[in-house]
Amino acid sequence: MKTVNIKVLLLLLLIPISIFSQEENKRPKFITVTTGYWNMDYENFDKEKWIATEKEFLDNVTKKNEYVLGASVYLHRFTPDNSEIIFVTAYPSWEAIEKSSLRNEELIKSAWSNEADRKEYFKKRNAYYAHTHSDEIYVPIGNAKPIKLEDAKKELVWLAVKGHFAYPEEGTKEEFLKLNKEFIDNVIMKNDLIKGYYQHGHAWGSDKTEFSRAVAFESMDDLDKSYKKSDELFKAHWNTEEKRKEFRKKMGKYFTPNHGDFIYTSVPELSK
């Protein structure tokens, strides 16, 4: 796998919230990402029973919460910690994040009206997880490649890329947006191996320079093949070495040289 191909493929930028304010209302304005961890001492773990337990909460609470636009769950595939489990929730506004918590409480009491039943359910649910978790809030960045409904129903492989913005003095928001859109239109959108593509900038968390990108594939084989396909599309659009070099130089200045790659598997049964 050529280094330069990876560098070009993994482009993304933290962009101010105001850039998204005029986008259609159906798009989420904020996304929370909770990184939880399995209780590794849980005996006789059964994935189907775990899914059934979480689906009970999904059907009775998350799907009925009007402040939640979408929700999904991702399991470790290739990450530094095999106990990771990622919960992603999308909201239409900052206010909705706060209101959704109160709404969840109402729906929980409605679904498990008997206190003893409620305690029993959450004891069973919480037993799957360790006590520790971390939360981050991101802002969706435009130029997404939305997943088709038929693909969203499948178990997909997700590549999550985390990097950092370099804040170049000679850079401008306008230049980046133009370069970013040109790359996405001519590479990401034309690569049929990429089933979904989403960019996110930091909104609230431990590092304001963080940017992330999530890319969906049907299989690990498609993930590997996509690099070659993207390289072909890149060379077709920037059809001389001089043009390719110029684009890499312009775009490269917006990013620090370091990034991290993480691969997860979606759980389609637990999505809203």
Side-chain angles (χ1 to χ4, degrees), residues 61 65-67 91 95-109:
V61 181
N65 190 329
E66 63 271 27
Y67 300 108
Y91 300 92
E95 183 182 29
I97 298 177
E98 298 177 347
K99 289 184 176 180
S100 70
S101 180
L102 295 175
R103 183 62 173 141
N104 275 353
E105 291 181 14
E106 295 173 352
L107 291 166
I108 287 170
K109 290 180 180 179

PDB file of all heavy atoms in Angstrom, residues 61 65-67 91 95-109:
ATOM      1  N   VAL A  61     -37.050   2.960  23.894  1.00  0.00           N
ATOM      2  CA  VAL A  61     -36.559   4.285  24.287  1.00  0.00           C
ATOM      3  C   VAL A  61     -35.992   5.058  23.094  1.00  0.00           C
ATOM      4  O   VAL A  61     -36.559   6.078  22.684  1.00  0.00           O
ATOM      5  CB  VAL A  61     -35.494   4.166  25.402  1.00  0.00           C
ATOM      6  CG1 VAL A  61     -35.005   5.553  25.818  1.00  0.00           C
ATOM      7  CG2 VAL A  61     -36.067   3.419  26.601  1.00  0.00           C
ATOM      8  N   ASN A  65     -37.639   8.359  21.017  1.00  0.00           N
ATOM      9  CA  ASN A  65     -37.143   9.665  21.459  1.00  0.00           C
ATOM     10  C   ASN A  65     -37.041  10.597  20.252  1.00  0.00           C
ATOM     11  O   ASN A  65     -36.173  10.436  19.400  1.00  0.00           O
ATOM     12  CB  ASN A  65     -35.780   9.512  22.139  1.00  0.00           C
ATOM     13  CG  ASN A  65     -35.334  10.782  22.828  1.00  0.00           C
ATOM     14  OD1 ASN A  65     -35.652  11.889  22.407  1.00  0.00           O
ATOM     15  ND2 ASN A  65     -34.571  10.630  23.897  1.00  0.00           N
ATOM     16  N   GLU A  66     -37.932  11.558  20.181  1.00  0.00           N
ATOM     17  CA  GLU A  66     -37.997  12.459  19.028  1.00  0.00           C
ATOM     18  C   GLU A  66     -36.797  13.393  18.910  1.00  0.00           C
ATOM     19  O   GLU A  66     -36.605  14.033  17.869  1.00  0.00           O
ATOM     20  CB  GLU A  66     -39.283  13.288  19.083  1.00  0.00           C
ATOM     21  CG  GLU A  66     -39.408  14.224  20.271  1.00  0.00           C
ATOM     22  CD  GLU A  66     -40.061  13.582  21.496  1.00  0.00           C
ATOM     23  OE1 GLU A  66     -39.962  12.343  21.651  1.00  0.00           O
ATOM     24  OE2 GLU A  66     -40.665  14.329  22.295  1.00  0.00           O
ATOM     25  N   TYR A  67     -35.987  13.479  19.954  1.00  0.00           N
ATOM     26  CA  TYR A  67     -34.805  14.343  19.917  1.00  0.00           C
ATOM     27  C   TYR A  67     -33.582  13.630  19.347  1.00  0.00           C
ATOM     28  O   TYR A  67     -32.533  14.248  19.147  1.00  0.00           O
ATOM     29  CB  TYR A  67     -34.487  14.873  21.315  1.00  0.00           C
ATOM     30  CG  TYR A  67     -35.610  15.694  21.902  1.00  0.00           C
ATOM     31  CD1 TYR A  67     -36.389  15.208  22.946  1.00  0.00           C
ATOM     32  CD2 TYR A  67     -35.912  16.955  21.387  1.00  0.00           C
ATOM     33  CE1 TYR A  67     -37.435  15.952  23.474  1.00  0.00           C
ATOM     34  CE2 TYR A  67     -36.953  17.715  21.909  1.00  0.00           C
ATOM     35  CZ  TYR A  67     -37.713  17.201  22.946  1.00  0.00           C
ATOM     36  OH  TYR A  67     -38.745  17.947  23.455  1.00  0.00           O
ATOM     37  N   TYR A  91     -27.982  14.178  16.656  1.00  0.00           N
ATOM     38  CA  TYR A  91     -28.987  15.107  17.165  1.00  0.00           C
ATOM     39  C   TYR A  91     -29.173  16.288  16.211  1.00  0.00           C
ATOM     40  O   TYR A  91     -28.224  16.705  15.538  1.00  0.00           O
ATOM     41  CB  TYR A  91     -28.557  15.650  18.533  1.00  0.00           C
ATOM     42  CG  TYR A  91     -28.375  14.593  19.593  1.00  0.00           C
ATOM     43  CD1 TYR A  91     -27.121  14.004  19.802  1.00  0.00           C
ATOM     44  CD2 TYR A  91     -29.441  14.191  20.386  1.00  0.00           C
ATOM     45  CE1 TYR A  91     -26.957  13.027  20.777  1.00  0.00           C
ATOM     46  CE2 TYR A  91     -29.277  13.225  21.374  1.00  0.00           C
ATOM     47  CZ  TYR A  91     -28.032  12.647  21.563  1.00  0.00           C
ATOM     48  OH  TYR A  91     -27.863  11.681  22.524  1.00  0.00           O
ATOM     49  N   GLU A  95     -29.458  21.787  21.874  1.00  0.00           N
ATOM     50  CA  GLU A  95     -30.559  21.722  22.826  1.00  0.00           C
ATOM     51  C   GLU A  95     -31.153  20.322  22.876  1.00  0.00           C
ATOM     52  O   GLU A  95     -31.553  19.839  23.940  1.00  0.00           O
ATOM     53  CB  GLU A  95     -31.633  22.734  22.433  1.00  0.00           C
ATOM     54  CG  GLU A  95     -32.789  22.803  23.409  1.00  0.00           C
ATOM     55  CD  GLU A  95     -33.864  23.783  22.971  1.00  0.00           C
ATOM     56  OE1 GLU A  95     -34.027  23.991  21.753  1.00  0.00           O
ATOM     57  OE2 GLU A  95     -34.537  24.337  23.857  1.00  0.00           O
ATOM     58  N   ALA A  96     -31.198  19.648  21.715  1.00  0.00           N
ATOM     59  CA  ALA A  96     -31.777  18.301  21.652  1.00  0.00           C
ATOM     60  C   ALA A  96     -30.972  17.302  22.471  1.00  0.00           C
ATOM     61  O   ALA A  96     -31.537  16.325  22.993  1.00  0.00           O
ATOM     62  CB  ALA A  96     -31.870  17.844  20.205  1.00  0.00           C
ATOM     63  N   ILE A  97     -29.652  17.525  22.582  1.00  0.00           N
ATOM     64  CA  ILE A  97     -28.818  16.623  23.388  1.00  0.00           C
ATOM     65  C   ILE A  97     -29.292  16.631  24.834  1.00  0.00           C
ATOM     66  O   ILE A  97     -29.429  15.585  25.473  1.00  0.00           O
ATOM     67  CB  ILE A  97     -27.334  17.033  23.296  1.00  0.00           C
ATOM     68  CG1 ILE A  97     -26.819  16.919  21.855  1.00  0.00           C
ATOM     69  CG2 ILE A  97     -26.483  16.162  24.228  1.00  0.00           C
ATOM     70  CD1 ILE A  97     -25.387  17.381  21.677  1.00  0.00           C
ATOM     71  N   GLU A  98     -29.556  17.833  25.348  1.00  0.00           N
ATOM     72  CA  GLU A  98     -30.011  17.954  26.729  1.00  0.00           C
ATOM     73  C   GLU A  98     -31.432  17.408  26.894  1.00  0.00           C
ATOM     74  O   GLU A  98     -31.721  16.684  27.854  1.00  0.00           O
ATOM     75  CB  GLU A  98     -29.958  19.418  27.158  1.00  0.00           C
ATOM     76  CG  GLU A  98     -28.548  20.010  27.130  1.00  0.00           C
ATOM     77  CD  GLU A  98     -28.529  21.481  27.480  1.00  0.00           C
ATOM     78  OE1 GLU A  98     -29.621  22.092  27.508  1.00  0.00           O
ATOM     79  OE2 GLU A  98     -27.441  22.020  27.740  1.00  0.00           O
ATOM     80  N   LYS A  99     -32.322  17.748  25.954  1.00  0.00           N
ATOM     81  CA  LYS A  99     -33.711  17.312  26.053  1.00  0.00           C
ATOM     82  C   LYS A  99     -33.839  15.791  25.907  1.00  0.00           C
ATOM     83  O   LYS A  99     -34.734  15.177  26.507  1.00  0.00           O
ATOM     84  CB  LYS A  99     -34.560  18.011  24.996  1.00  0.00           C
ATOM     85  CG  LYS A  99     -34.786  19.492  25.271  1.00  0.00           C
ATOM     86  CD  LYS A  99     -35.716  20.098  24.241  1.00  0.00           C
ATOM     87  CE  LYS A  99     -36.028  21.545  24.567  1.00  0.00           C
ATOM     88  NZ  LYS A  99     -36.947  22.157  23.570  1.00  0.00           N
ATOM     89  N   SER A 100     -32.979  15.188  25.113  1.00  0.00           N
ATOM     90  CA  SER A 100     -33.083  13.747  24.879  1.00  0.00           C
ATOM     91  C   SER A 100     -32.850  12.954  26.151  1.00  0.00           C
ATOM     92  O   SER A 100     -33.436  11.877  26.355  1.00  0.00           O
ATOM     93  CB  SER A 100     -32.095  13.300  23.800  1.00  0.00           C
ATOM     94  OG  SER A 100     -30.751  13.360  24.260  1.00  0.00           O
ATOM     95  N   SER A 101     -31.997  13.469  27.023  1.00  0.00           N
ATOM     96  CA  SER A 101     -31.713  12.773  28.281  1.00  0.00           C
ATOM     97  C   SER A 101     -32.962  12.724  29.163  1.00  0.00           C
ATOM     98  O   SER A 101     -33.293  11.675  29.735  1.00  0.00           O
ATOM     99  CB  SER A 101     -30.577  13.476  29.017  1.00  0.00           C
ATOM    100  OG  SER A 101     -30.288  12.828  30.237  1.00  0.00           O
ATOM    101  N   LEU A 102     -33.657  13.848  29.256  1.00  0.00           N
ATOM    102  CA  LEU A 102     -34.889  13.893  30.042  1.00  0.00           C
ATOM    103  C   LEU A 102     -35.971  13.023  29.410  1.00  0.00           C
ATOM    104  O   LEU A 102     -36.727  12.332  30.111  1.00  0.00           O
ATOM    105  CB  LEU A 102     -35.382  15.340  30.158  1.00  0.00           C
ATOM    106  CG  LEU A 102     -34.473  16.300  30.927  1.00  0.00           C
ATOM    107  CD1 LEU A 102     -35.029  17.718  30.857  1.00  0.00           C
ATOM    108  CD2 LEU A 102     -34.331  15.854  32.378  1.00  0.00           C
ATOM    109  N   ARG A 103     -36.022  13.052  28.069  1.00  0.00           N
ATOM    110  CA  ARG A 103     -37.009  12.236  27.364  1.00  0.00           C
ATOM    111  C   ARG A 103     -36.737  10.744  27.577  1.00  0.00           C
ATOM    112  O   ARG A 103     -37.665   9.946  27.726  1.00  0.00           O
ATOM    113  CB  ARG A 103     -36.979  12.582  25.874  1.00  0.00           C
ATOM    114  CG  ARG A 103     -38.020  11.827  25.047  1.00  0.00           C
ATOM    115  CD  ARG A 103     -39.413  12.147  25.489  1.00  0.00           C
ATOM    116  NE  ARG A 103     -40.399  11.535  24.573  1.00  0.00           N
ATOM    117  CZ  ARG A 103     -41.534  10.997  24.983  1.00  0.00           C
ATOM    118  NH1 ARG A 103     -41.857  10.999  26.272  1.00  0.00           N
ATOM    119  NH2 ARG A 103     -42.361  10.475  24.103  1.00  0.00           N
ATOM    120  N   ASN A 104     -35.461  10.378  27.595  1.00  0.00           N
ATOM    121  CA  ASN A 104     -35.102   8.977  27.861  1.00  0.00           C
ATOM    122  C   ASN A 104     -35.636   8.512  29.209  1.00  0.00           C
ATOM    123  O   ASN A 104     -36.148   7.396  29.343  1.00  0.00           O
ATOM    124  CB  ASN A 104     -33.587   8.803  27.832  1.00  0.00           C
ATOM    125  CG  ASN A 104     -33.053   8.576  26.427  1.00  0.00           C
ATOM    126  OD1 ASN A 104     -33.818   8.421  25.479  1.00  0.00           O
ATOM    127  ND2 ASN A 104     -31.747   8.562  26.292  1.00  0.00           N
ATOM    128  N   GLU A 105     -35.514   9.374  30.218  1.00  0.00           N
ATOM    129  CA  GLU A 105     -35.995   9.017  31.547  1.00  0.00           C
ATOM    130  C   GLU A 105     -37.498   8.747  31.536  1.00  0.00           C
ATOM    131  O   GLU A 105     -37.983   7.794  32.159  1.00  0.00           O
ATOM    132  CB  GLU A 105     -35.675  10.140  32.536  1.00  0.00           C
ATOM    133  CG  GLU A 105     -34.184  10.297  32.821  1.00  0.00           C
ATOM    134  CD  GLU A 105     -33.915  11.406  33.816  1.00  0.00           C
ATOM    135  OE1 GLU A 105     -34.874  11.864  34.480  1.00  0.00           O
ATOM    136  OE2 GLU A 105     -32.751  11.818  33.946  1.00  0.00           O
ATOM    137  N   GLU A 106     -38.234   9.598  30.806  1.00  0.00           N
ATOM    138  CA  GLU A 106     -39.687   9.420  30.712  1.00  0.00           C
ATOM    139  C   GLU A 106     -40.035   8.101  30.017  1.00  0.00           C
ATOM    140  O   GLU A 106     -40.923   7.364  30.460  1.00  0.00           O
ATOM    141  CB  GLU A 106     -40.299  10.581  29.937  1.00  0.00           C
ATOM    142  CG  GLU A 106     -40.169  11.931  30.620  1.00  0.00           C
ATOM    143  CD  GLU A 106     -40.628  13.079  29.748  1.00  0.00           C
ATOM    144  OE1 GLU A 106     -40.920  12.846  28.542  1.00  0.00           O
ATOM    145  OE2 GLU A 106     -40.688  14.217  30.252  1.00  0.00           O
ATOM    146  N   LEU A 107     -39.342   7.826  28.923  1.00  0.00           N
ATOM    147  CA  LEU A 107     -39.618   6.614  28.146  1.00  0.00           C
ATOM    148  C   LEU A 107     -39.221   5.354  28.914  1.00  0.00           C
ATOM    149  O   LEU A 107     -39.889   4.323  28.806  1.00  0.00           O
ATOM    150  CB  LEU A 107     -38.876   6.684  26.811  1.00  0.00           C
ATOM    151  CG  LEU A 107     -39.396   7.731  25.825  1.00  0.00           C
ATOM    152  CD1 LEU A 107     -38.401   7.960  24.687  1.00  0.00           C
ATOM    153  CD2 LEU A 107     -40.755   7.307  25.264  1.00  0.00           C
ATOM    154  N   ILE A 108     -38.148   5.437  29.674  1.00  0.00           N
ATOM    155  CA  ILE A 108     -37.718   4.298  30.488  1.00  0.00           C
ATOM    156  C   ILE A 108     -38.781   3.951  31.528  1.00  0.00           C
ATOM    157  O   ILE A 108     -39.153   2.783  31.704  1.00  0.00           O
ATOM    158  CB  ILE A 108     -36.364   4.601  31.172  1.00  0.00           C
ATOM    159  CG1 ILE A 108     -35.233   4.568  30.140  1.00  0.00           C
ATOM    160  CG2 ILE A 108     -36.088   3.601  32.295  1.00  0.00           C
ATOM    161  CD1 ILE A 108     -33.907   5.087  30.656  1.00  0.00           C
ATOM    162  N   LYS A 109     -39.305   4.973  32.208  1.00  0.00           N
ATOM    163  CA  LYS A 109     -40.318   4.741  33.233  1.00  0.00           C
ATOM    164  C   LYS A 109     -41.623   4.238  32.615  1.00  0.00           C
ATOM    165  O   LYS A 109     -42.387   3.518  33.267  1.00  0.00           O
ATOM    166  CB  LYS A 109     -40.552   6.019  34.024  1.00  0.00           C
ATOM    167  CG  LYS A 109     -39.379   6.384  34.922  1.00  0.00           C
ATOM    168  CD  LYS A 109     -39.637   7.660  35.703  1.00  0.00           C
ATOM    169  CE  LYS A 109     -38.449   7.995  36.594  1.00  0.00           C
ATOM    170  NZ  LYS A 109     -38.678   9.256  37.361  1.00  0.00           N
TER     171      LYS A 109
END
